[in-house]
Each structure stands twice: as C-alpha cells, then as structure tokens.
C-alpha cells in the first residue's frame, strides 16, 4: 500500500516531536511500519494523506461512539466558536453538562470538569488522599490511568506496548505510594488491606479494562472491592474514561450495579474534544477547593467549545439511548462471534480485543502471554485490507453506531483470511 506521503511526514515530524508522534502508541513501534497520517474522518471511516481509506476500530481511542463528525456535535462546536473559544470564567453550559452527566451517572452528585482523563484521575486520587487523610493508592497491573506520576506503576497501554511497565522520571517516593496488584485477584486485595488497611486512601481501577486490551471483571470481584473499601474507610474510584457512556449509558457502574465513591470521565463526554471530569458524593467532593482544602484548577477546565460538544453528545445519547446501545451490542456480538482458533476474544458491549493467546485473558500476566509478533502480522494484514485496528495487542478496539453490518462482515472475513493463510 502507498504510504509515501505519511513516510515523508513521519521523517519531518521525527525531527521536532519524539518519535514523530504526540502519544507513543501512535508511532507503531510494536507493530512496525509507518503510521498513516490522517487527513480526515467521517462516520466509521478514516482517510489518510496518501488517499488510503480505512474502517476505523480505534475511534480516537473510544470517544467516537457515534462515529466521526456526528452532525449534532459539529453544529454545537460551530455555534460555540461564534461566541468565543476560552473565557477562564464560568458559563451556563458547564451546569448543563454537569446536569447531563448526573442524570446518566447518579453517583456524580458533585463534579469538576477538567481538560483530560489524566487530569481527572490525578485529581480523583488526590481528593481521595485529602478526604481520607491517607497516602496509599491501590491500582491494578495493566490498568492505565493516564500519565499520572504515582499511577505509572505497572501501567498498561503505551507502556505495556513498549514493554516498559514503569516510566523513568517517577520518583521512588511517588511510586512507593502505589500498591500494584493483579487484576481480578480477590486474595491480593484482601492481603493488601490486611497489611496496610489503615493507610489505604483508595482503590482506582478500570471497571472494564481497555488499556491491556479489553479485560472483563470476574463476577463478584467489583462487589468485593466495594465491600472491602467501605469496611476499611477507603474510597473506590472507577476510572470510566473509556467505559463511561460506552459499555452502557450510565457506564460500567450502571452495567455492574456498583456505586463507586469517585468516578472519572474523559473523551466521550467532550464528543471527542479535550475534556475530563471527576466527581462523587457531595461529602467527598466538598473536599475540593474553593470549598475544601484539596487544590485543583485549570484555565481550560470547562472550556466552552469542549463543553458544547460534550453537551450535544450527551443530549443525543440520552434521547437515543435504547437504539444506540442496542445497535452497539448487536455490532459487537456480530464482530466477535466464533473467533478463529488461536484467538481469545474479550468483549463488553462495543469494547473488544482479539488476543493472540491460547487461554482466557483475565489479567496482565495472561494478556502479556499473547504472541505480539503474530499480532503485528495480523495488524498489517488488516491495515492493508483497509481495516484500522489499534496498533498494539494491549489496547481495546471500539465500534461506533456508524459501522455497518457489511463493514463488520468484511472485518471478520479479513481476519478469517489471515488464519487461512497460516
Ligand atoms: N494509549 C492511549 C490509549 N489507551 C493512546 C492515546 C493516543 O495515542 O491518542
């Protein structure tokens, strides 16, 4: 396939930007080859600068639930631009967005808008520390919560892709505040609380993991986390940056019927523009400045363009929730039914991963047993047939309402062909 213009752009970008990209997985280091530079997108399709077209299963890493350029969101952005791009002062639309979020996710009694998922998780962990007066955070191996210093410990996503579970530049003192445990392990959590219970401020997790590939919580495990945090006076934080408005209208907390103390959101709640949010009970969120002593701030927090896009997105999802989530479930089931032998598929609603692994993938140890070299060959096989999957075994794929049944069937046929070729 012709990627000449992308190759030239990558060479030019690499002189100015580390690896030529502004987020590491985009560099294709684990699959090799040249990342297509994208010129535009529409619905379920991506178009690169060389004129190649792709069915997109990355969807900007999750937010494009309605496909690229949903008319309602684009119209809201254009209208917002006419009124100004940033005020650094409150607007009525921030209240409207907060009301939409609360209507879908009732545990968000009070919330703060920020500019990214990373900011949301960083702030939620800080609030948990401030509220409880404790320092330790439990996270799970292979879960990624943005590039927050203390959470870059055995993190998934880009670090897992590069094979470096921890980042340089994180002071040991920060990493020492984090206890990293295997996902889905009941015993490890029990032991951590037995050893350090009075010092643990919070557990943070992806209630369905997207960042070591899609990994599903074992039945009863989320309930156990809820019970043990309550018993020990620690807070339970659901990182719903990927799962929020994705696995169900009310996120994973609705799907599994668990009420966390704090939740974090990003991506989808801005309709694909940069935004994040964290929130929880009035009691916990009253710890946040200016009414409480936990400081957190940002000039672009509640940015009027991102808020307008998010408001349009959430209003659309509320008005059309039955048809949106039933279509996503139908397409997800169609894509992942009867995977070829040699693939293990994990899926919740429209989040999925095909692992090149022999057995069930339930945590980071089983995820990393995947054959990443074979994944790389599969990735390029699909790309050459116009199918854009995440360029890493350790990322989830995402389906939008604009994917057609024919596109899903084409994708299945391309994967089957890969296995037939051997
Ligand atoms: N590793 C990030 C998603 N889990 C990638 C983000 C990006 O490259 O935009």
């Amino acid at each position: 396939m012709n990627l000449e213009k992308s190759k030239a752009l990558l060479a030019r970008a690499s002189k100015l930007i580390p690896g030529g990209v502004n987020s590491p997985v985009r560099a294709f280091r684990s699959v090799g080859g040249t990342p297509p530079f994208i010129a535009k997108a529409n619905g379920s399709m991506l178009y690169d600068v060389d004129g190649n077209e792709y069915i997109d299963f990355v969807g900007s890493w999750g937010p494009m639930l309605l496909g690229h350029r949903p008319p309602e969101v684009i119209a809201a952005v254009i209208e917002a631009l006419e009124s100004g791009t940033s005020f650094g002062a409150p607007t009525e639309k921030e209240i409207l967005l907060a009301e939409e979020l609360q209507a879908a996710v009732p545990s968000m009694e009070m919330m703060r808008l920020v500019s990214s998922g990373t900011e949301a998780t960083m702030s939620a962990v800080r609030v948990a520390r401030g509220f409880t007066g404790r320092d330790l955070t439990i996270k799970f191996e292979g879960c990624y919560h943005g590039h927050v210093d203390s959470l870059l410990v055995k993190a998934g996503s880009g670090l897992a892709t590069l094979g470096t579970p921890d980042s340089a530049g994180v002071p040991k003192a920060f990493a020492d505040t984090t206890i990293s445990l295997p996902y889905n392990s009941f015993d490890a959590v029990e032991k951590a609380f037995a050893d350090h219970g009075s010092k643990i401020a919070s557990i943070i997790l992806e209630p369905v993991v997207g960042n070591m590939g899609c990994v599903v919580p074992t039945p009863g495990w989320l309930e156990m986390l809820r019970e043990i945090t309550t018993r020990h006076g620690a807070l339970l934080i659901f990182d719903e940056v990927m799962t929020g408005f994705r696995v169900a209208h009310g996120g994973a907390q609705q799907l599994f019927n668990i009420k966390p103390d704090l939740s974090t959101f990003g991506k989808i709640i801005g309709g694909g523009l940069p935004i994040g949010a964290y929130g929880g009970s009035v009691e916990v969120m009253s710890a946040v400045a200016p009414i409480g002593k936990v400081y957190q701030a940002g000039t672009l927090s509640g940015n009027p363009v991102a808020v307008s896009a998010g408001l349009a997105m959430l209003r659309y999802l509320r008005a059309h929730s039955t048809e949106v989530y039933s279509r996503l479930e139908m397409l997800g089931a169609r894509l992942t039914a009867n995977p070829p032998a040699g693939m293990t598929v994990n899926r919740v609603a429209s989040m999925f991963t095909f692992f090149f692994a022999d057995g069930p993938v339930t945590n980071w140890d089983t995820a990393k047993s995947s054959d990443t070299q074979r994944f790389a060959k599969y990735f390029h096989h699909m790309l050459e047939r116009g199918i854009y999957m995440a360029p890493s075994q350790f990322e989830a794929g995402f389906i939008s309402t604009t994917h057609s049944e024919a596109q899903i069937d084409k994708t299945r046929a391309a994967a089957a062909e890969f296995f037939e070729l051997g």
Side-chain angles (χ1 to χ4, degrees), residues 10 13-14 16-29 35 37:
L10 184 65
S14 298
L16 296 165
I17 302 170
V21 293
N22 282 311
S23 192
V25 180
R26 298 178 198 177
F28 278 30
R29 288 287 163 98
F37 276 57

Side-chain angles (χ1 to χ4, degrees), residues 255-339:
L255 187 66
F256 297 109
N257 194 25
I258 304 280
K259 185 179 176 190
D261 298 298
L262 284 166
S263 305
T264 64
F265 293 86
K267 305 181 193 260
I268 289 177
I269 66 158
L273 272 75
I275 202 166
Y278 67 96
S281 68
V282 171
E283 186 192 5
V284 172
M285 287 301 288
S286 296
V288 179
I291 53 175
K293 292 189 174 167
V294 177
Y295 195 73
Q296 178 271 311
T299 297
L300 293 173
S301 295
N303 173 266
V305 183
V307 164
S308 298
L311 187 56
M313 180 86 174
L314 296 198
R315 280 179 171 163
Y316 185 94
L317 292 178
R318 180 163 51 84
H320 301 87
S321 70
T322 307
E323 68 206 64
V324 165
Y325 293 99
S326 60
R327 175 160 183 80
L328 291 171
E329 174 61 29
M330 181 275 289
L331 293 173
R334 189 170 179 129
L335 180 67
T336 55
N338 306 317

Side-chain angles (χ1 to χ4, degrees), residues 3 18 34 73 83 90 102 124 127 133 144 152 181 185 190 201 213 238 241 283 291 300 302 352 373 389 391 404 421:
L3 286 170
T34 303
V73 174
S83 302
Q102 190 189 61
V127 169
Y144 175 72
L152 283 178
L181 305 176
S185 171
E190 297 276 4
F238 273 12
V241 169
E283 186 192 5
I291 53 175
L300 293 173
F352 67 90
Q373 290 186 352
M389 293 288 185
S404 68
L421 292 172

